[in-house]
Amino acid sequence: MTQHATIRPIAFVPGPQSEHGNAIRLAGGMLYASRFAVVLRRDGAVVERWLASPDTIAEVLGKLPDDCGAEAEAQWANLTLAHPPLTLGARTIRLDQPQVMGILNVTPDSFSDGGAHDSPDAARTHAAAMVEAGAAVIDVGGESTRPGTKALWEGDEIARVVPVIEVCAAMGAAVSIDTRKAAVMEAALEAGAHLVNDVSGLAHDPRSAEVVARAGVPVVLMHAPGAAGDDLHEGGDYENVVFEVFDALRDRRDAALAAGIAAGNILLDPGIGFGKTLAHNLALINALPLFHALGHPLMLGASRKRMIGALSNEAEVGARLGGSVALAMKGMDAGVQLLRVHDVPETVQARNVWRGLRDAALTDFSDLPG
């Protein structure tokens, strides 16, 4: 019998003054949580659920079985953990507010923009435009991971991404390499990449964790049910998608730590759209605040994805801007630190307005007595 406790933030306020201080600053960001569900699971099934606030959490955690107490205490500490900035080359990326990662696909068959930025000149122009618009990181990918595509030979992937990474790094951009292959990671880091974004959570290539640990760079661990094989989308059967993805990310995080990757270099991504139905994706996005309990910055990649079309009269990929911004805003409201998007100017503008609203709320004491 295995037992796990999870602490899920379920109520949020503009600032701590709204609750007379009885709220926590979630993950060091601009979001405050005032109410929490403490869930006890036994062999994967939910058996108990309690509600708590910051002033009652100790009492509720005291009701947990002894073998869950330490885990729950660590999660409570993680929910209030302020993450230090990421240092990516010459750039410092603050994680006390949402940041935007611009997608730069150099693939002929990407689901959204395949073939649009294949040449170094086209890639440079697009990357410069995204940086100018406010992208904190440029994420370069050379292999399509849409359903049904075959794995690309690493030599071809290296040939696609290295020239683009070199031109992006030369312009002073913070660069991420989107790959699941150790050889591509090595070549990309040598070319000037500063961060590894692995859709397999370092499960696909047995050398990848060693490469990341040796380089000492940050890494995004994403959830995909078929991460260890060629088809990332295979095996997406869940009894409870939220808790199963939570547990899987915890396991990949623990494997990364065991491989020598520093805790401060790990970011987590629930993998929206990878081996998940519309219902799964919606459940995960609604549960995003829960994942702060793992103690690492979060990344959300929902831009232009199939779920937007499914909710919008089958809108084509190029007509999903509104849905993409809506999902990015939902991520901001959940305290997500990094938003991976195609449409950088629009998302940055939405982020700036969101941040202004948060700043105004934090300094608004007008309904409190003098």
Side-chain angles (χ1 to χ4, degrees):
M1 181 182 70
T2 59
Q3 297 188 112
H4 290 287
T6 51
I7 305 176
R8 176 174 175 173
I10 56 172
F12 308 92
V13 291
Q17 68 270 21
S18 300
E19 292 281 355
H20 294 193
N22 195 25
I24 64 166
R25 184 184 182 192
L26 190 63
M30 304 181 77
L31 182 69
Y32 288 80
S34 61
R35 197 164 174 84
F36 308 85
V38 180
V39 179
L40 177 65
R41 291 177 289 141
R42 187 172 297 133
D43 293 333
V46 174
V47 294
E48 293 281 354
R49 186 179 189 269
W50 300 271
L51 295 180
S53 53
D55 60 354
T56 64
I57 190 70
E59 176 186 350
V60 171
L61 296 187
K63 298 178 182 179
L64 293 171
D66 291 343
D67 59 348
C68 295
E71 177 184 27
E73 292 285 354
Q75 288 186 24
W76 180 247
N78 287 339
L79 288 172
T80 61
L81 182 64
H83 302 290
L86 294 176
T87 300
L88 304 180
R91 292 183 175 261
T92 299
I93 313 301
R94 293 172 52 185
L95 298 179
D96 59 352
Q97 58 188 292
Q99 301 286 356
V100 173
M101 172 187 278
I103 298 170
L104 182 54
N105 287 321
V106 288
T107 58
D109 55 350
S110 172
F111 87 96
S112 174
D113 51 2
H117 313 115
D118 286 0
S119 73
D121 285 344
R124 180 192 295 109
T125 299
H126 188 53
M130 289 193 290
V131 172
E132 179 68 21
V137 186
I138 302 301
D139 190 42
V140 178
E143 178 187 45
S144 175
T145 53
R146 66 181 183 181
T149 56
K150 294 182 179 180
L152 183 68
W153 177 54
E154 62 190 25
D156 289 338
E157 190 174 343
I158 289 170
R160 288 179 182 178
V161 300
V162 163
V164 175
I165 291 171
E166 289 174 342
V167 299
C168 290
M171 72 172 67
V175 183
S176 168
I177 175 62
D178 176 5
T179 187
R180 52 181 169 160
K181 303 183 184 72
V184 181
M185 295 176 193
E186 289 172 320
L189 293 170
E190 179 67 24
H194 311 102
L195 181 150
V196 171
N197 177 19
D198 186 348
V199 291
S200 79
L202 300 178
H204 179 75
D205 190 323
R207 284 203 314 117
S208 58
E210 173 194 343
V211 169
V212 172
R214 185 173 62 248
V217 296
V219 60
V220 179
L221 306 177
M222 195 197 81
H223 174 268
D230 285 337
D231 186 356
L232 292 159
H233 304 268
E234 186 176 27
D237 298 318
Y238 311 95
E239 292 293 327
N240 186 316
V241 67
V242 170
F243 289 131
E244 289 175 49
V245 171
F246 182 93
D247 291 343
L249 285 176
R250 181 188 59 218
D251 292 345
R252 294 315 306 157
R253 183 274 311 275
D254 290 347
L257 292 173
I261 298 172
N265 275 343
I266 296 173
L267 298 87
L268 303 175
D269 179 345
I272 300 301
F274 283 80
K276 300 171 182 79
T277 65
L278 173 61
H280 295 148
N281 291 325
L282 294 173
L284 285 167
I285 290 172
N286 280 326
L288 283 172
L290 165 68
F291 292 90
H292 291 294
L294 290 170
H296 301 274
L298 303 180
M299 186 169 86
L300 175 65
S303 177
R304 299 186 185 176
K305 288 199 170 173
R306 175 70 186 85
M307 65 176 294
I308 300 170
L311 294 170
S312 308
N313 297 318
E314 302 302 331
E316 296 294 331
V317 171
R320 296 176 184 173
L321 173 59
S324 297
V325 173
L327 292 175
M329 293 287 287
K330 182 67 174 178
M332 296 179 215
D333 285 339
V336 168
Q337 287 89 354
L338 203 55
L339 304 162
R340 183 178 181 272
V341 306
H342 298 86
D343 302 292
V344 170
E346 295 85 354
T347 308
V348 168
Q349 185 180 84
R351 187 277 311 274
N352 291 347
V353 172
W354 180 92
R355 187 174 58 193
L357 291 167
R358 289 288 171 182
D359 285 337
L362 287 173
T363 57
D364 182 7
F365 295 86
S366 60
D367 64 344
L368 299 181

